Amino acid sequence: MAHIALELPTIQNWSCHNCGGCCRQHAIYITDAERERITAQGWHDLPGWPVERGVIVREGSRQRLATREDGACIFLDEQGLCRIHARFGEPAKPLACRVYPYAFHPAGAGLTVSLRFSCPSVARNLGRPVTEQVTDLQALAQAVLPANYAGMAPPELARGQRVTWERLLEGVDALDGMLSVPHVPLGVRLQRIAVWTGLMEQAPLAALREEQLAALIELLYAESEARVSSERAAIPSGMGLRLFRLAVGQYVRHDTFARKPTWRDRWDFVWWGVRFARGKGLTPTPHPRLKAVAFTDLAGTFGLVTPEMEALLTRYLRVKVQGLHLCGRAAYGESLFDGIRSLLLVISVVLYVTKWIASSGGRIQWTLDDLVEAMTIVDHNHAYSPALGTSSSLGRVRLLNTTGDLPRLLNWCGL
Ligand code: SF4
């Protein structure tokens, strides 16, 4: 087996704690070989297995594991464990189940590894350091690796400006460095990044020599430091808030749920969108964890962002940036700079949903647990929901950036 150069997140731990969350949230699409293997496992011969219950569902040219009536995987047992794993061991499961919550992305000659924060153990940083799981990750990487990964073109650095892998990764390192500046509040770090990307993309990046790019990164970062200290954010515009609430509505939707959306679901999505845009009265309830609360309540403050909350938000951003989980094939074909802007919006959305969870529980103070839960809901969709990859959703982030509302929203949401 050829060795693959893996870039691992050094700040992240993970082990599965068998909460069964992923088995309730994801549609598991399988290959023909996996279908044959699972069909041959003889589930219908088990005592008590309902005869009418199939284990595979065909959807056009694709096929997936069947689900129970509540949407959970057909193989999830009463103890919240996987029946395939229990009877035949971990390698007998579909690849999609074995890879989750990891995500692998081509990065020149190697692969970067990122994680999905929809898994509560990832969000809470529980388990073994990822850097100690190299053997398992090598095996998974071999299984998911596209044959031509080493020849893949890098994502654009800025929209319309493609550079070499080396220079793109220099941009990634620069972003990671800006995210990890010590003793600077996260809100200030993110506002500097918003200014820096705007300045950077005005330069002819593809035409710069290596040392020129490095010098420009430094120079414009110094400029962003100076501008942010004198331009602390104002209130978002009315249009910015409408666009933001629309984004919230999409990030909390459950539309990668393991069943096909019905016409009723589609109508709900449209009607919820109208109500989020208006922002009056009570919120819709697009997610089982979120109750109807007054939009006006969510505009208020729910307390300070504690150091633990900042640390979680920072780790989230750094894992996504280091793992290239924000641009190119990993995120709707976006450029690195547009990808980091989408993540700035995600942070505002996560904080808003954190308030919503607290408010759903009748509280006016948010907690670290609320933030963890909000992150699992929002990251379930980020870079995966088809609704967030449409031109109107991607254009919304660009518009919020152009109007200056992206940094204002961060401030308005509590950073
Ligand atoms: S959501 Fe995470 S912790 Fe829970 S079962 Fe899935 S991988 Fe394990």
Side-chain angles (χ1 to χ4, degrees):
M1 195 163 66
H3 178 83
I4 300 169
L6 294 178
E7 278 290 328
L8 304 177
T10 53
I11 53 172
Q12 183 66 47
N13 304 328
W14 177 74
S15 302
C16 177
H17 291 79
N18 295 321
C19 71
C22 50
C23 315
R24 292 187 177 87
Q25 295 192 67
H26 297 275
I28 302 299
Y29 289 93
I30 55 175
T31 62
D32 287 342
E34 288 172 335
R35 184 198 65 230
E36 283 165 21
R37 188 173 74 225
I38 291 167
T39 315
Q41 288 168 351
W43 294 98
H44 286 98
D45 302 333
L46 279 189
W49 189 276
V51 175
E52 73 284 0
R53 191 176 280 182
V55 292
I56 311 286
V57 172
R58 286 202 175 269
E59 281 179 2
S61 59
R62 301 204 295 172
Q63 53 206 344
R64 64 171 172 83
L65 298 187
T67 48
R68 308 187 311 211
E69 269 168 23
D70 64 357
C73 176
I74 193 91
F75 292 109
L76 187 65
D77 72 14
E78 292 70 27
Q79 287 75 45
L81 300 175
C82 172
R83 288 188 171 93
I84 300 180
H85 192 142
R87 285 184 71 203
F88 301 101
E90 203 263 349
K93 295 199 291 189
L95 183 61
C97 305
R98 290 162 51 211
V99 169
Y100 183 88
Y102 285 110
F104 298 84
H105 305 119
L111 289 183
T112 57
V113 179
S114 174
L115 290 98
R116 299 187 63 177
F117 282 62
S118 48
C119 166
S121 294
V122 174
R124 291 187 187 279
N125 210 20
L126 300 177
R128 286 168 62 209
V130 170
T131 47
E132 290 179 8
Q133 305 186 34
V134 176
T135 309
D136 293 345
L137 289 169
Q138 278 286 338
L140 284 175
Q142 300 281 349
V144 298
L145 198 61
N148 61 341
Y149 84 98
M152 281 183 177
E156 292 176 332
L157 181 55
R159 196 146 24 99
Q161 302 215 56
R162 201 176 294 282
V163 295
T164 60
W165 271 111
E166 289 71 22
R167 292 182 192 184
L168 181 92
L169 295 175
E170 219 172 303
V172 169
D173 286 346
L175 280 175
D176 189 43
M178 291 173 204
L179 286 169
S180 48
V181 175
H183 314 305
V184 176
L186 180 60
V188 174
R189 281 179 269 156
L190 299 189
Q191 296 201 36
R192 285 178 187 168
I193 286 174
V195 172
W196 178 79
T197 51
L199 295 171
M200 282 290 291
E201 67 188 1
Q202 290 169 30
L205 300 169
L208 295 180
R209 291 195 307 273
E210 195 174 334
E211 65 282 3
Q212 289 175 313
L213 181 64
L216 189 71
I217 287 172
E218 293 282 328
L219 181 72
L220 295 184
Y221 182 64
E223 178 63 19
S224 71
E225 274 184 311
R227 290 199 190 183
V228 168
S229 53
S230 60
E231 281 178 19
R232 274 314 293 273
I235 304 286
S237 66
M239 183 189 70
L241 284 171
R242 265 194 298 284
L243 291 173
F244 172 67
R245 285 193 304 266
L246 276 170
V248 171
Q250 286 187 324
Y251 272 106
V252 298
R253 262 165 52 173
H254 227 163
D255 57 353
T256 48
F257 198 62
R259 69 176 165 78
K260 249 185 150 169
T262 61
W263 281 107
R264 175 63 210 235
D265 293 331
R266 289 182 214 278
W267 164 248
D268 282 347
F269 294 159
V270 172
W271 178 230
W272 291 337
V274 171
R275 290 172 62 193
F276 276 114
R278 286 211 317 242
K280 296 209 166 95
L282 294 179
T283 59
T285 51
H287 192 282
R289 229 355 233 107
L290 300 169
K291 293 191 179 156
V293 301
F295 275 108
T296 47
D297 289 350
L298 301 182
T301 173
F302 277 61
L304 294 175
V305 175
T306 63
E308 293 75 20
M309 292 166 83
E310 266 211 12
L312 167 53
L313 294 167
T314 303
R315 178 165 48 84
Y316 172 78
L317 289 166
R318 292 191 64 201
V319 167
K320 297 290 173 182
V321 168
Q322 290 176 3
L324 283 175
H325 207 163
L326 72 167
C327 57
R329 288 158 56 99
Y332 313 120
E334 288 287 81
S335 71
L336 179 67
F337 291 168
D338 282 333
I340 191 70
R341 288 179 185 128
S342 288
L343 284 179
L344 299 188
L345 180 61
V346 165
I347 295 299
S348 297
V349 171
V350 165
L351 289 169
Y352 191 86
V353 177
T354 305
K355 295 184 194 181
W356 194 348
I357 290 170
S359 193
S360 297
R363 289 176 283 115
I364 54 169
Q365 286 281 326
W366 58 20
T367 65
L368 181 62
D369 285 345
D370 296 332
L371 179 65
V372 166
E373 199 172 354
M375 189 159 271
T376 62
I377 292 171
V378 172
D379 196 57
H380 173 70
N381 282 325
H382 184 62
Y384 291 91
S385 163
L388 292 165
T390 60
S391 53
S392 66
S393 294
L394 299 174
R396 179 172 54 215
V397 182
R398 291 184 191 123
L399 189 54
L400 286 168
N401 179 54
T402 308
T403 58
D405 279 313
L406 269 187
R408 292 181 199 136
L409 284 165
L410 286 163
N411 204 19
W412 184 76
C413 287
L415 272 183

